[in-house]
Amino acid sequence: MNPRGFYTLFYKETLRFSKVWLQTLGAPVITALLYLLVFAHVLEGRMEVFEGVGYGSFLIPGLMMMSLIQNSFANSSSSIIQSKVTGNLVFVLLAPLSYLEFYLAFVLAAAARGVMVGLGVFVVGKLFVPLPVQHPLIVIAFAILSGAVLGTLGIIAGMWAEKFDQLAGFQNFVIMPLSFLSGVFYSIHSLPTLWLHLSRFNPFFYMIDGFRYGFFGVSDIAPWISLAVVFGALVALAVVTLEMLRRGYRLRD
């Protein structure tokens, strides 16, 4: 283990997004706030997903997790593809770092950015609608695990993509649809039977549903099932990513 090397790479990755915080942290919060203002204004009082929970309050955890997911993925994937295109990835690969340290530094930095954005949405959202937090440890667990899952997926996408448009395709045709169709704006029990069953194959649904349970104490499915799915996804993706890093997949060409 090379603690100094790991910390240096982690610091470099966090510095990378914190230096342009208005773009990487501020813009996603403003986007989520616009979703909240528009949807809450239109649907508040017209539908009640959970008993005693207003639609605006119901919406905030979904927006928090959607923002967390998208920004965790964006951080690790964009960092790797930019390093590959500009050619400076070689300096990271030449450093005395194991592929495990490389993986942990990128994933933790990606999760940190996702959690910061989610926290920003929480703070801004509470200015407009009340939002209880009944199980804060569950909220924290789902936030960190989900950020790590998407950070890991971002590493895979960044290694696989050779051009920016390939990475954009991955984000637009995989990450974006899965996050929008995961129950951010609705309960899956309001869906037709076919879409309800299809939603259960969407791993992002378990992230949002379990995360939402931490706020309201109610969810579409048992939170321990969601936690098991998210943790299982993290382990499976981590194994694949570490093997790709060990082989230097599309990094040492």
Side-chain angles (χ1 to χ4, degrees), residues 213-240:
Y213 175 85
F215 288 90
F216 307 118
V218 291
S219 55
D220 287 334
I221 63 170
W224 65 268
I225 294 178
S226 297
L227 194 62
V229 171
V230 176
F231 184 73
L234 176 59
V235 171
L237 288 172
V239 169
V240 172

Side-chain angles (χ1 to χ4, degrees), residues 67-143:
S67 303
L68 188 155
I69 285 171
Q70 294 176 350
N71 284 277
S72 296
F73 175 84
N75 201 70
S76 53
S77 61
S78 63
S79 178
I80 291 179
I81 190 68
Q82 283 177 0
S83 296
K84 287 170 68 175
V85 171
T86 58
N88 62 39
L89 184 63
V90 65
F91 300 112
V92 178
L93 297 177
L94 287 175
L97 289 168
S98 68
Y99 53 87
L100 178 60
E101 292 159 351
F102 181 97
Y103 167 78
L104 289 176
F106 272 84
V107 167
L108 290 178
R113 174 178 166 183
V115 171
M116 287 182 187
V117 172
L119 187 60
V121 176
F122 173 77
V123 171
V124 174
K126 272 188 74 68
L127 298 176
F128 296 91
V129 292
L131 183 65
V133 184
Q134 295 198 9
H135 305 288
L137 292 180
I138 291 181
V139 170
I140 294 171
F142 272 97

Side-chain angles (χ1 to χ4, degrees), residues 26-38:
V29 173
I30 297 300
T31 301
L33 177 62
L34 292 174
Y35 278 123
L36 174 66
L37 294 178
V38 171

Side-chain angles (χ1 to χ4, degrees), residues 41 62 72-73 155 174 180 201 229:
H41 174 72
S72 296
F73 175 84
I155 295 176
V174 179
F180 267 84
F201 291 96
V229 171

Side-chain angles (χ1 to χ4, degrees), residues 11-217:
Y11 180 69
K12 173 249 182 191
E13 287 300 307
T14 54
L15 197 64
R16 180 178 164 274
F17 70 77
S18 60
K19 279 286 186 181
V20 287
W21 65 270
L22 195 60
Q23 173 191 347
T24 56
L25 302 177
V29 173
I30 297 300
T31 301
L33 177 62
L34 292 174
Y35 278 123
L36 174 66
L37 294 178
V38 171
F39 280 90
H41 174 72
V42 172
L43 297 175
E44 187 71 54
R46 299 186 180 183
M47 62 182 295
E48 186 179 72
V49 183
F50 296 145
E51 185 177 356
V53 178
Y55 185 73
S57 300
F58 170 85
L59 191 56
I60 291 179
L63 292 174
M64 288 174 64
M65 182 55 76
M66 185 179 74
S67 303
L68 188 155
I69 285 171
Q70 294 176 350
N71 284 277
S72 296
F73 175 84
N75 201 70
S76 53
S77 61
S78 63
S79 178
I80 291 179
I81 190 68
Q82 283 177 0
S83 296
K84 287 170 68 175
V85 171
T86 58
N88 62 39
L89 184 63
V90 65
F91 300 112
V92 178
L93 297 177
L94 287 175
L97 289 168
S98 68
Y99 53 87
L100 178 60
E101 292 159 351
F102 181 97
Y103 167 78
L104 289 176
F106 272 84
V107 167
L108 290 178
R113 174 178 166 183
V115 171
M116 287 182 187
V117 172
L119 187 60
V121 176
F122 173 77
V123 171
V124 174
K126 272 188 74 68
L127 298 176
F128 296 91
V129 292
L131 183 65
V133 184
Q134 295 198 9
H135 305 288
L137 292 180
I138 291 181
V139 170
I140 294 171
F142 272 97
I144 294 175
L145 285 175
S146 301
V149 170
L150 270 297
T152 303
L153 196 58
I155 295 176
I156 294 176
M159 294 173 69
W160 166 78
E162 295 181 321
K163 301 176 181 176
F164 284 106
D165 58 338
Q166 291 176 327
L167 184 60
F170 196 100
Q171 189 153 14
N172 292 328
F173 296 111
V174 179
I175 302 299
M176 190 72 75
L178 287 179
S179 59
F180 267 84
L181 299 175
S182 57
V184 173
F185 303 99
Y186 53 81
S187 165
I188 64 167
H189 292 301
S190 64
L191 298 173
T193 304
L194 174 62
W195 286 105
L196 186 152
H197 292 308
L198 288 177
S199 295
R200 296 185 187 279
F201 291 96
N202 182 355
F204 292 4
F205 158 70
Y206 297 93
M207 298 177 187
I208 291 177
D209 196 58
F211 189 65
R212 190 171 272 142
Y213 175 85
F215 288 90
F216 307 118

